[in-house]
Amino acid sequence: MRDDRNLLTRRKAIQGAASLLGGAIAATQLSTFMSRAASAAAAGEPPAFFDADQFALIERIVDVMIPETATPGAHAIGVHHFVDLMLAEWASPERQARYVRGLEQLDTELKRPDGESFVDLAPEEQLDVLRAVDAAAYADNAGDTFFVELKKMVLFSFYSSEIGATEELQYEALPGPYKHCMSVDEDVRAWFDLGFTYGL
Amino acid sequence: MPGLTWGSPMASEVNADFDAIVVGSGISGGWAAKELCERGLKVLLVERGRKVTHREDYVTEGKGNWELPYRGQIPEQEVERDYAVQKDCYAFTDFTKHFFVNDREHPYATPDDKPFAWIRGYQLGGRSILWHRQCYRWSDLDFEANANDGHGVDWPIRYKDIAPWYDHVETFAGISGSFEGLPQLPDGKFQPPFPMNCVEQEINKRLESSYSDRKLIIGRAAHLTAPTDEQLALGRGRCMNRNECQRGCSFGAYFSSLSATLPAAERTGNLTTVTDAIVTGVNFDAASNRATGVNVIDANSKDGRSYSGRMVFLCASTLGSTQILLNSTSEQFPNGLANSSGTLGQCLMDHLDRPAAAGIFPGFLDKYASSRRASGCYVPRFRNVNEKDERFLRGFGYQGAASRQSWKQGTATPGVGAEMKTALRRPGPWTLSLTGFGEMLPDTRNRVWLDEKRKDQWGIPILQIDCQHRENELAMLEAIEADAVEMMEAVGMTNIKSGFKAFAPGLGIHEMGTARMGRDPQSSVLNEHNQAHDVPNLFVTDGACMTSSACQNPSLTYMALTARAAAGAVEMLREGSI
Ligand SMILES: Cc1cc2nc3c(=O)[nH]c(=O)nc-3n(C[C@H](O)[C@H](O)[C@H](O)COP(=O)(O)OP(=O)(O)OC[C@H]3O[C@@H](n4cnc5c(N)ncnc54)[C@H](O)[C@@H]3O)c2cc1C
C-alpha cells in the first residue's frame, strides 16, 4: 500500500486560495474555513480560559510533547489554542478546577532542580524534564495523575485535527469494500481511530 | 402547529377511520406499517417524536471530527444536565446526540440502588437510526428455554413458526452474514458477509483447534453488500464501510425505518403519518370488547385529540408500549388494558452487557486492514448448548473485532517528543476485545409500573422501573469474563486485561418483556399472534411481547414477529373475527 495517498485537504485548498490572493486573505474569511483554534493561533489571540502563565506552560508542553518533525507539530496547528477552547467551552467546572490545580503543580514538578522554570529552559532540556515527568506518571504506583489527563487532551487535540487525522495519520472518508489483509511496509501510516469515545 | 402530517390520504382526512393504527415508527412500527399497507389496509402511523427526513436530516453524516466544534465531544455540563442517562450509551456523541432523548424532558424513576438505563430515541425512525444492526436468529434452544427450566412461561411459538418470517424480513431488510450451520444460531437469507481480517481468521482457526464448540464468525448485520432490485428500487445502495451508521446513512445501506420500511409503506399510497403526536392511551369499548383507537397529545401544543381505527398495533418499544397499556384504564381494565392476567409490567429483561476482556494478538505486523468495517465479529453461544453448565442456566455470546491500535495507545503508554510522535504514526499491535451478551431470566420481580403521583410535562404518569441482575445473571457475568480470558490465552494472546465493570441493566439496549406472549390468558398478555388475549383487535409486536430474552440481539426477532402478526391480523380482519 502506498503511504502518500493524501487527498487534497481543505487546508491545502485554503493555502492555495490564500496564495492566489497574494496571501492577503482576511482572518475572518479564513476562520470560516479553518477551525476556530487554528484561526485563533493564526491571529495570535489571547487565551479564553488560561491565564498568560498557564497558557505559556501549555504552549511549551504541546510543542515539546508533539514537536515538528518531517510533519507539522502540535504547536504549528494550534493545539494549545484548541486545549484552551476545550477548557473554556467544553470542560465542566470540576475539570476546569482540576486543570488550574494540576497546572500549578505540574509547573513545580517541571522546574529544574535549581528552580529554573520549564518555559525558560532550552528545548532539549525541556524534553528531558518532560520525559522524566511522563515516566513517573506511568510508573506502576502513580495512580491517576493530572499529567496523563493533560497528555490525553493534547494527543486528542492533535490527532483529531484535520492535519492530525489526514496527514499525520490516514483517514478514509469512504472506505468502500473492506480490505481484510493488506501487506504493508514499515512506513505505513496508522488510520485515524474513529472511535465513539476518546477517554478524556 | 398540529403534528406534521403527510402521506395519503391528505391531512384534512386524518380524522377518517383507519383500518389500523400503528403506534411508533421504530424497527417494529416501520415493519407493521409496511406489512399492513402492503396488504391493502389504510394505516395511520403515530409517532411521538419529530419528523426526520432520510438524508436531509443526517446533519453530521460524513463529517470529520475536526468539523465539529469539540471534535465529537459534548460539553460536559450539557451532558450532565440533559443526558444523565443517555450519556452511558456507547454511541452517544456530538455526532449522534440529536437522535437520543433529552433525559430532563423524559423522566422515569428507579430505586436509588437499582439503576436502569433507558436508552431511547424519540423521532420518526426511533432507534432504527441508532442501532448497531447486529441480527441473529433465535432457535428452539431459545424458544424452549422457559419450558425446559421452568423460568417464565412457555413461548406459544417455536422456531418453525417464525422461520418463514425470518426469511421474509431478512430478504427485505438485507442481512449480510456467513453460513455456519450452527443449530443454536440458524443461518438465514444472507447477502455476502463482510470479510474477517487475517488476524480474526487466525484467531478462529486457533479457537477451532482448541475447542470443539467455539468459533469466531463475522457478525450478521443489516447492511447491503449485494443490494437486490427491490432494495435498489427503494433508493438503497451498497455499504461503504464508513461504520458511522448512527449518524444516518444517505446510501440507505443499513436497514432503518427511514431507509427501508417507511418508503415501502408510503409507496402503497395507504400510509398516513403523524409526528409529534404522543399516544397516551388506547381507547376501549367494553360493549364490543374492542380497542377503538388512540388518544394523542400534541408534543408541542399539548392539545389532545384522538384517532379511531379498526385495530391497534402497539410498537412504541418495550417500555413505551407497556406504559401506554398501563395508562389505558377503564372499568373493565382498572390496572391497564388487556391486563386481566395482572402480568403487565412484569419480567423486564435486558442483555447482560459486559466488556469481558481485551488483549494483544502478537505478530501479523506486516498486515493491515481497511480502517473501518460496518460489522464486528461474533462468538456464538457455547454454554448450555450440548452440555449442562452447573453454574448457571442459559447462555451468552460475544461480540468483538481485531484491529491494530492507533494514536490512542499513546495515552496508555509512556513517551513524549519526536520518538512518541514517530511511533504513533505507525499502526500498533493487533488487539482483540470481546464483549459478552448474556441472557437474563424472566423474573416477575423485575418489573415496571406507573407512578400516579409523578407526571411528565404532558401529564402522563411516569414509569417506575425496578430491575436488577440476580443470582443467575451474576454467575453468568463471571463466566463471561473467565471464558473470554481463557479463550484469549488459548489463541496465544498477551497483555490480557479483564475485570471491567458489567453494565447496569438497560445498557444492553435490548430491554424486553413486560407484556409477554404465552399460551395461557391467566399468565400472559398476548397470544401466539401477538394479539391481546383480552382484546382481539389489539396487537403488541415490539420487545414488550418477549417471553424470554435469549442472548442474541433481539431486533430481527421483533421484525419477524411484527410481520407475522400483521399478516395474521389482516387475515382475521378479512375473516371478520376482529
Ligand atoms: C446504540 C444502539 C445499538 C443497538 N444495537 C442493536 C443491535 O446491534 N441489534 C439489535 O437487535 N438491536 C440493537 N439495538 C436495539 C434496537 O434499536 C431496538 O431493539 C429496536 O429499535 C426496537 O424497535 P422498536 O420499534 O420496538 O422501538 P424503537 O426503535 O425504540 O421505536 C419506538 C418508537 O416509538 C415511539 N414512541 C414511543 N412512545 C410513544 C408514544 N407514547 N406515542 C407515539 N410514539 C411513541 C418512539 O418515539 C420511537 O420512534 C440498539 C440500540 C441502540 C440505541
Side-chain angles (χ1 to χ4, degrees):
Chain A
M1 192 175 70
R2 287 175 51 205
D3 195 20
D4 58 355
R5 288 189 328 176
N6 257 327
L7 302 166
L8 178 67
T9 65
R10 239 195 273 189
R11 169 169 281 262
K12 284 194 184 126
I14 293 166
Q15 284 166 349
S19 66
L20 281 179
L21 294 170
I25 190 163
T28 48
Q29 272 174 290
L30 201 59
S31 65
T32 63
F33 294 102
M34 289 170 67
S35 75
R36 279 193 291 159
S39 54
E45 275 177 28
F49 175 75
F50 296 117
D51 69 23
D53 288 343
Q54 292 163 341
F55 193 59
L57 182 59
I58 295 271
E59 186 172 356
R60 290 314 308 140
I61 289 174
V62 308
D63 193 24
V64 177
M65 196 179 274
I66 307 180
E68 181 177 326
T69 52
T71 57
H75 189 269
I77 65 166
V79 162
H80 47 308
H81 282 279
F82 185 71
V83 174
D84 176 58
L85 177 115
M86 288 292 276
L87 264 292
E89 298 182 12
W90 167 79
S92 64
E94 297 76 46
R95 190 186 295 267
Q96 290 174 333
R98 208 158 62 230
Y99 263 73
V100 171
R101 275 197 315 273
L103 281 175
E104 194 181 318
Q105 193 177 346
L106 192 58
D107 188 42
T108 313
E109 285 169 33
L110 287 169
K111 274 194 171 52
R112 206 168 56 187
D114 68 0
E116 186 76 337
S117 283
F118 181 75
V119 292
D120 295 327
L121 302 179
E124 314 80 64
E125 254 187 300
Q126 286 175 333
L127 179 58
D128 288 342
V129 173
L130 199 68
R131 196 178 275 139
V133 168
D134 177 77
Y138 285 92
D140 279 345
N141 53 1
D144 292 337
T145 63
F146 171 71
F147 180 79
V148 171
E149 179 172 357
L150 178 65
K151 185 173 167 183
K152 284 180 184 169
M153 178 64 89
V154 172
L155 263 58
F156 169 71
S157 303
F158 179 67
Y159 291 107
S160 67
S161 70
E162 184 168 9
I163 298 247
T166 67
E167 294 187 28
E168 181 65 20
L169 306 177
Q170 305 191 65
Y171 175 77
E172 294 180 302
L174 218 54
Y178 184 73
K179 294 175 276 303
H180 74 286
C181 199
M182 299 181 277
S183 293
V184 290
D185 301 336
E186 276 170 13
D187 60 357
V188 64
R189 283 177 297 151
W191 302 117
F192 169 63
D193 189 343
L194 191 98
F196 286 109
T197 52
Y198 297 99
L200 300 181
Chain B
M1 188 183 73
L4 197 56
T5 306
W6 73 97
S8 165
M10 301 302 292
S12 56
E13 293 169 54
V14 139
N15 284 324
D17 261 357
F18 290 94
D19 294 322
I21 295 176
V22 175
V23 182
S25 62
I27 291 183
S28 314
W31 269 101
K34 170 188 176 302
E35 297 293 311
L36 295 170
C37 283
E38 288 179 347
R39 286 176 173 75
L41 270 55
K42 295 287 180 202
V43 174
L44 175 70
L45 179 62
V46 188
E47 166 55 51
R48 70 174 295 157
R50 69 184 168 111
K51 182 181 180 190
V52 175
T53 303
H54 184 47
R55 302 198 173 102
E56 210 171 281
D57 289 329
Y58 301 152
V59 292
T60 56
E61 184 185 8
K63 289 201 165 146
N65 287 57
W66 55 91
E67 293 176 88
L68 267 60
Y70 314 113
R71 311 258 176 92
Q73 312 281 319
I74 306 167
E76 291 180 300
Q77 274 187 299
E78 181 187 341
V79 171
E80 286 312 319
R81 190 188 61 226
D82 292 342
Y83 301 102
V85 175
Q86 309 305 308
K87 72 170 197 284
D88 290 331
C89 175
Y90 72 93
F92 177 76
T93 73
D94 210 16
F95 288 102
T96 58
K97 76 168 185 204
H98 44 284
F99 294 135
F100 286 88
V101 297
N102 178 319
D103 290 306
R104 207 159 35 96
E105 291 175 6
H106 301 287
Y108 64 96
T110 59
D112 286 343
D113 57 341
K114 293 188 219 166
F116 182 93
W118 190 7
I119 305 300
R120 290 171 284 172
Y122 286 169
Q123 62 248 329
L124 193 69
R127 286 176 296 178
S128 75
I129 304 174
L130 284 172
W131 72 316
H132 216 93
R133 294 97 47 211
Q134 292 292 300
C135 286
Y136 301 97
R137 289 188 180 205
W138 292 22
S139 74
D140 273 336
L141 187 64
D142 307 305
F143 291 110
E144 289 171 2
N146 286 2
N148 286 339
D149 63 31
H151 290 268
V153 298
D154 188 17
W155 278 89
I157 57 167
R158 289 292 182 264
Y159 181 70
K160 67 170 172 27
D161 300 308
I162 196 174
W165 295 100
Y166 278 136
D167 288 354
H168 176 75
V169 297
E170 285 167 347
T171 303
F172 175 81
I175 311 294
S176 65
S178 57
F179 297 93
E180 304 289 344
L182 300 169
Q184 75 275 36
L185 196 75
D187 292 332
K189 299 277 178 204
F190 295 144
Q191 298 201 358
F194 293 113
M196 286 172 49
N197 63 47
C198 28
V199 165
E200 291 161 348
Q201 290 177 7
E202 179 66 22
I203 288 172
N204 177 46
K205 213 157 61 189
R206 296 188 193 177
L207 264 184
E208 285 187 307
S209 69
S210 303
Y211 302 94
S212 61
D213 58 353
R214 304 189 199 180
K215 60 197 306 190
L216 185 71
I217 66 173
I218 189 66
R220 296 173 177 174
H223 286 263
L224 304 184
T225 51
T228 61
D229 288 344
E230 181 184 37
Q231 287 153 352
L232 292 169
L234 285 166
R236 305 186 59 195
R238 188 169 164 177
C239 176
M240 292 290 146
N241 276 307
R242 289 182 294 179
N243 198 24
E244 302 170 3
C245 320
Q246 276 93 353
R247 307 178 190 183
C249 177
S250 289
F251 296 103
Y254 77 92
F255 171 90
S256 72
S257 300
L258 302 184
S259 69
T261 43
L262 294 183
E266 263 161 26
R267 68 182 174 185
T268 64
N270 289 331
L271 182 70
T272 303
T273 305
V274 290
T275 52
D276 305 287
I278 304 172
V279 171
T280 55
V282 176
N283 288 319
F284 173 71
D285 174 50
S288 60
N289 195 40
R290 292 289 186 274
T292 56
V294 295
N295 286 330
V296 160
I297 292 184
D298 187 287
N300 304 313
S301 72
K302 301 190 175 152
D303 292 338
R305 61 184 189 275
S306 57
Y307 296 110
S308 52
R310 297 170 69 194
M311 61 164 101
V312 174
F313 265 68
L314 288 183
C315 300
S317 84
T318 296
L319 293 176
S321 291
T322 292
Q323 186 174 20
I324 291 170
L325 288 175
L326 287 168
N327 200 37
S328 307
T329 52
S330 58
E331 212 170 301
Q332 187 169 345
F333 294 108
N335 301 317
L337 187 60
N339 190 21
S340 68
S341 69
T343 59
L344 181 65
Q346 292 181 356
C347 297
L348 176 60
M349 299 163 278
D350 183 34
H351 281 151
L352 299 176
D353 188 341
R354 166 156 213 184
I360 290 178
F361 188 85
F364 287 82
L365 296 179
D366 58 344
K367 299 290 182 210
Y368 210 10
S370 300
S371 57
R372 292 176 264 163
R373 183 180 58 198
S375 173
C377 296
Y378 192 64
V379 179
R381 170 173 165 182
F382 51 85
R383 290 284 173 201
N384 287 316
V385 177
N386 298 319
E387 283 161 44
K388 186 167 162 29
D389 197 293
E390 295 307 326
R391 298 165 299 172
F392 55 87
L393 299 167
R394 320 254 171 140
F396 54 85
Y398 295 100
Q399 296 180 20
S403 63
R404 291 184 72 169
Q405 292 198 337
S406 181
W407 63 271
K408 268 189 260 174
Q409 61 180 317
T411 63
T413 40
V416 288
E419 215 179 324
M420 172 193 77
K421 186 183 175 202
T422 312
L424 292 184
R425 195 168 157 83
R426 310 293 162 219
W430 285 92
T431 59
L432 173 80
S433 59
L434 291 176
T435 296
F437 282 81
E439 175 160 5
M440 251 177 100
L441 292 178
D443 187 310
T444 53
R445 294 169 296 175
N446 290 335
R447 63 188 194 101
V448 304
W449 66 95
L450 291 184
D451 183 343
E452 292 296 341
K453 286 195 236 63
R454 284 185 62 194
K455 302 201 165 152
D456 67 15
Q457 56 177 305
W458 297 280
I460 304 169
I462 67 165
L463 210 56
Q464 283 272 355
I465 305 175
D466 184 345
C467 182
Q468 67 183 114
H469 296 149
R470 298 175 190 274
E471 237 170 279
N472 196 63
E473 286 82 32
L474 298 177
M476 190 188 288
L477 280 168
E478 274 180 34
I480 286 175
E481 175 172 356
D483 283 352
V485 170
E486 189 202 284
M487 289 189 294
M488 287 186 178
E489 283 168 353
V491 299
M493 288 175 58
T494 62
N495 301 62
I496 298 166
K497 293 207 172 64
S498 59
F500 304 108
K501 245 179 83 196
F503 294 133
L507 283 174
I509 331 178
H510 296 159
E511 73 284 357
M512 277 177 267
T514 66
R516 68 184 170 203
M517 294 166 77
R519 298 169 193 277
D520 182 355
Q522 308 263 305
S523 61
S524 58
V525 178
L526 306 169
N527 68 15
E528 72 273 27
H529 305 295
N530 292 74
Q531 179 183 29
H533 289 295
D534 295 337
V535 184
N537 66 338
L538 174 64
F539 297 81
V540 183
T541 72
D542 56 33
C545 77
M546 305 299 271
T547 313
S548 70
S549 71
C551 66
Q552 301 90 316
N553 307 55
S555 304
L556 181 73
T557 300
Y558 305 165
M559 296 188 207
L561 288 173
T562 302
R564 180 174 176 273
V570 171
E571 221 169 279
M572 294 179 217
L573 195 68
R574 299 252 151 90
E575 285 167 357
S577 67
I578 58 171

